[in-house]
């Protein structure tokens, strides 16, 4: 008997939903979010559109919680798709929470799902352009972010709150870790015949982005998309365009990579009108 195909989606947000709608046809989708009401709302929208979605209360920063959703998914069928869109932004949480959720939580999810993903499966985690803006770390720090055992990550000396300037710096470190972690974890996933990649979006219009627009760095973010080559923010379906490639057969030779999708904002930051020295 052929087992049903199952997808795990973490983070009940607009990007996660856009990706799930793109790749989740004919699959059982387990949708996890720390706030069950968020998962219920997205699940209701997708169910009304013909998808099979089971909302779950899932805390990405809890090993027990991630193991629970993975166990539920495996009882139903083979986990062939994984999308991690869970996270908090610099304006939504303190340094410790950003590191616990965006850095440790992502590493935890990639590890646990990597032990359960089916042959031929694929995963995508949502990172951020912010990881590309921070000055380069040392090779030793990059390797530590990539390969330190998950439960020891938050003990790294350069991740101690006293070493971190502010919540934006914490977020940048977390997203740099996401990208390095994907490179290391794709080796682990390959032992099960599966692939893993990351997408680093720029300004995508979501409730999280709107929080940033209305937060202390709102003018900075509005200036960013105004002066990027695209001249506008992105939408969740444009992230789903990339995810569809990475999760499907046409992405069969792509693993361990991070795809920057930011309308050219990072290019403008280094070489165009967003260069910091031009705005001082």
């Amino acid at each position: 008997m052929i087992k049903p195909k199952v997808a795990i989606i973490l983070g009940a947000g607009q990007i996660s939903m856009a990706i799930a709608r793109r790749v989740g046809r004919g699959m059982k989708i387990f949708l996890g979010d720390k706030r069950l009401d968020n998962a219920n709302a997205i699940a209701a929208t997708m169910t009304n559109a013909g998808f099979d979605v089971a909302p779950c209360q899932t805390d990405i920063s809890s090993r027990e919680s991630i193991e629970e959703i993975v166990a539920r998914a495996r009882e139903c069928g083979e986990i062939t798709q994984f999308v991690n869109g869970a996270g908090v932004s610099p304006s939504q949480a303190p340094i410790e929470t950003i590191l616990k959720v965006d850095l440790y939580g992502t590493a935890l999810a990639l590890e646990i799902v990597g032990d359960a993903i089916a042959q031929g499966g694929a995963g995508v985690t949502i990172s951020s352009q912010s990881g590309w803006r921070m000055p380069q770390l040392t090779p030793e720090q990059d390797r530590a972010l990539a390969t330190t055992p998950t439960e020891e990550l938050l003990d790294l000396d350069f991740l101690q709150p006293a070493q971190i300037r502010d919540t934006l710096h914490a977020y940048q470190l977390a997203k740099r870790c996401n990208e390095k972690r994907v490179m290391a974890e794709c080796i682990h996933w390959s032992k099960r015949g599966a692939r893993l990649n990351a997408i680093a979006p720029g300004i995508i219009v979501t409730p999280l982005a709107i929080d940033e627009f209305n937060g202390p760095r709102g003018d900075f973010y509005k200036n960013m998309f105004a002066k990027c080559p695209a001249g506008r923010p992105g939408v969740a379906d444009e992230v789903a365009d990339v995810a569809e490639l990475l999760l499907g057969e046409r992405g069969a030779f792509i693993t361990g990579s991070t795809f920057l999708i930011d309308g050219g904002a990072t290019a403008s930051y280094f070489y165009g009108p967003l260069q910091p020295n031009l705005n001082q």
Side-chain angles (χ1 to χ4, degrees):
M1 180 178 177
I2 299 176
K3 292 184 178 181
K5 292 183 177 181
V6 176
I8 294 177
I9 312 289
L10 298 180
Q14 295 301 309
I15 290 176
S16 292
M17 181 169 67
I19 297 172
R21 289 174 68 102
R22 194 69 62 87
V23 303
R25 292 184 295 274
M27 304 179 70
K28 178 73 173 184
I29 300 170
F30 286 84
L31 176 64
D33 195 276
K34 187 173 183 179
R35 292 181 55 183
L36 186 58
D37 55 343
N38 287 345
N40 284 334
I42 296 295
T45 298
M46 293 189 65
T47 298
N48 288 336
F51 293 89
D52 184 3
V53 183
C56 309
Q57 187 167 25
T58 306
D59 180 357
I60 193 175
S61 66
S62 163
R63 180 175 290 273
E64 180 182 7
S65 189
I66 299 176
E67 288 176 343
E68 181 180 345
I69 193 173
V70 168
R72 287 185 60 184
R74 294 186 83 175
E75 287 176 359
C76 184
E78 291 190 330
I79 303 170
T80 60
Q81 306 275 3
F82 171 67
V83 177
N84 173 32
V88 293
S89 78
S91 295
Q92 292 179 319
I95 289 172
E96 292 83 357
T97 301
I98 291 170
L99 295 177
K100 181 75 171 178
V101 173
D102 291 0
L103 190 150
Y104 168 80
T106 295
L108 189 62
L110 299 184
E111 172 197 321
I112 294 171
V113 176
D115 288 335
I117 193 77
Q119 173 81 24
V124 164
T125 192
I126 303 301
S127 183
S128 169
Q129 64 176 348
S130 284
W132 298 57
R133 303 281 178 82
M134 188 176 62
Q136 290 297 311
L137 299 176
T138 67
E140 293 76 19
Q141 288 173 323
D142 278 341
R143 186 171 186 83
L145 291 177
T147 64
T148 297
T150 304
E151 296 304 327
E152 299 173 18
L153 264 173
L154 296 180
D155 295 329
L156 292 172
D157 57 354
F158 62 97
L159 294 182
Q160 300 314 298
Q163 304 296 321
I164 298 174
R165 295 187 302 273
D166 53 27
T167 58
L168 178 58
H169 186 205
Y171 188 74
Q172 290 174 327
L173 283 165
K175 297 308 177 180
R176 180 70 61 84
C177 182
N178 294 169
E179 294 159 19
K180 298 302 178 183
R181 208 76 185 176
V182 161
M183 294 180 73
E185 281 291 339
C186 85
I187 309 300
H188 173 55
W189 282 47
S190 72
K191 295 175 183 177
R192 299 182 64 88
R195 299 181 296 104
L196 175 65
N197 292 288
I199 299 174
I203 305 298
I204 307 295
V205 179
T206 64
L208 184 148
I210 291 171
D211 281 347
E212 290 299 317
F213 294 158
N214 295 323
R217 284 177 287 272
D219 289 341
F220 169 81
Y221 286 110
K222 292 172 186 176
N223 182 61
M224 183 188 302
F225 69 71
K227 291 184 178 178
C228 75
R232 63 171 177 85
V235 297
D237 281 302
E238 291 175 308
V239 180
D241 288 339
V242 179
E244 184 177 22
L245 167 66
L246 298 177
L247 293 169
E249 293 181 0
R250 292 184 178 181
F253 197 57
I254 307 172
T255 192
S257 297
T258 297
F259 287 76
L260 183 64
I261 170 173
D262 68 348
T266 301
S268 186
Y269 179 83
F270 285 108
Y271 308 116
L274 286 174
Q275 292 176 81
N277 60 330
L278 297 180
N279 295 285
Q280 292 177 349

